[in-house]
Amino acid sequence: VGMPVMIRTNTATELCMTRGQEGYVYSWQESVGSRGQRVLDVLFVKLANPPQRVQFHDLPENVVPLTRTTVTTLCHLPDDSTIYISRSQVEVLPNFAMTDYASQGKTRVFNVVDLNNCYTHQSYYTALSRSASAAGTIILQGFDTRKITGGASGALRQEFRDLEILDEISKLTYDGLLPQSVQGDRRNLLIASYREVKGESYIPPFAHSAIHWSKIDPYVVVNIDTGMLEPTISNLPDKASALATLSQNELRAMNGPTELGRPTKRVVSASAVQGVETAKRIKSSRDGDMPQSQGGNEPRGTQWKDNSCAYDVIVTIFYNVWNDDSRSWMGWFNSLNEGCLGALANGLKGYQQGRYNLEDVRDYLRRVLHRLDPGSFPWDGYASVHHALDWMLRTPVPILRSTLECPQGHVIERRSVDVNCCLINGGVVGTNHGEVGTTNSSFSVPSASLCSSCGHSLIRKFRYVGSPQILAFDVSGHSRPLEHSMTLLVDGRQHSYALRGIVYHGDNHFTARVVTVEGRVWYHDGMVTGRELVPEGILTSRIDLTSCQSRTAIVTVYARRVVNDLGN
């Protein structure tokens, strides 16, 4: 009694029994379940500061009854059978603390906050703005001040800029003043059309000065065809050359009003640049990020930024595979998965041509996955390598086909199940798939189903029906050594694969090892090594690939040998 709780369902909105309403346990009624267990039937909750007075017959004021609700779920089992599972419970949660997300819209007279684990400045704002007063705010421990003093990210600033232009377009449309030449059925097209009419230097009059754009900090243009951010002059290796093209008035406007007696930024003497188009051509050379020549000996990686480690390891491994023979891999990526791998291939081609750097390509892939599944790939948030590869390696044709079999040979009348993905996850790989390095055509895993004839447990047999150019295996929880090569037997033909990358995980961070076509091993950690990879020597049995820098291997990536394809 007295425990703080929060109601998690809209039971009766007119009686303040709504999702998010807080209160305290007042009393309860219970019964005995079918197995003799105690079962909660009704929970009486005293509402805390309800928007209106609530009175039930024979109950104190603001005390409401909450009854059990039942939810039924259809479950698909590994043997393709289905069962229904029902769960009955009173839908409340203990309310000793809550996340910043759950606290939105609430006001606290005494607001106790823990900012130490907040990821962004938005979280800081949400948590602190719940307070009714500064005196009633208690911060439990220290926090990272850089998250609220380092300035907004480029993506957030660009979003605010886009919204300012769209806001003005909406107002002009409402007033009937929007020029007829402004057309577009998509956001980027509409903004580009409006800026073409108003001029690239035009800034809506009500836009805050913090998001104003200029020659030094230009408006980032989205390529209408590819959806990628176009390079801008602010990404030049030497901003001094760009500063030289600006007048004192432009510098003063860019930097804002200066304090009395404080000089404005000095104009640096340097040769003028030839505008944004020149910046586009030389952008990829900034900060030393030069594309490697095809088949180059030193792999390249991406610099970590904003929880990008899952995307860093994927782009690093796939780029160094793609760079072996970019023309062939361009077609193979598109044939495997045009939406994700094809987009990655287009970005890598732009990097090779000097139009983007690898971080641009990574962020483009990040946006593609975010649009496909915003919940699994939050922008600037932590993501799973397994989820990303599951999306990227989905194929239009099956890679595996599974059937149920009885170990006693009885006929099982069940249809086969296809797996259209090049990521072979742990549930499919099974503990007996450790034959990597030998010739494989099929493998089996136990099934939960029983044979209707003999009662023995059935097995699910997986057979390879495709030989894609890329295969990835989920090796989480496997302590066996990782093999350097493998061979698949598909329809009587052998296809050889070589180990090309390993993803490691530990302490909420992903790192990778890259194996070149020559068999050299390189280590990459976008947070520590940046764009560089650290050489570790030749791939031999002496190198322990199951762990690296106190992190454990979770995914291996194998690429089909090109010489084998030519031979077949």
Side-chain angles (χ1 to χ4, degrees), residues 102-173:
S103 72
Q104 294 180 90
K106 299 183 182 299
T107 301
R108 295 275 190 259
V109 176
F110 298 104
N111 187 27
V112 182
V113 295
D114 182 0
L115 302 176
N116 187 54
N117 294 316
C118 290
Y119 289 120
T120 65
H121 67 276
Q122 291 99 327
S123 296
Y124 281 47
Y125 165 77
T126 303
L128 292 172
S129 61
R130 300 311 96 203
S131 302
S133 66
T137 303
I138 302 174
I139 301 177
L140 289 181
Q141 58 176 317
F143 56 90
D144 187 357
T145 58
R146 292 174 298 177
K147 292 179 180 176
I148 54 176
T149 59
S153 68
L156 183 60
R157 283 166 52 81
Q158 185 61 32
E159 176 71 13
F160 287 150
R161 290 171 171 179
D162 287 352
L163 291 176
E164 287 292 342
I165 292 182
L166 291 172
D167 182 59
E168 184 164 288
I169 292 174
S170 299
K171 185 178 186 303
L172 292 175
T173 302

Side-chain angles (χ1 to χ4, degrees), residues 220 278 289 337 565:
V220 180
T278 303
D289 184 26
N337 186 316
D565 298 333

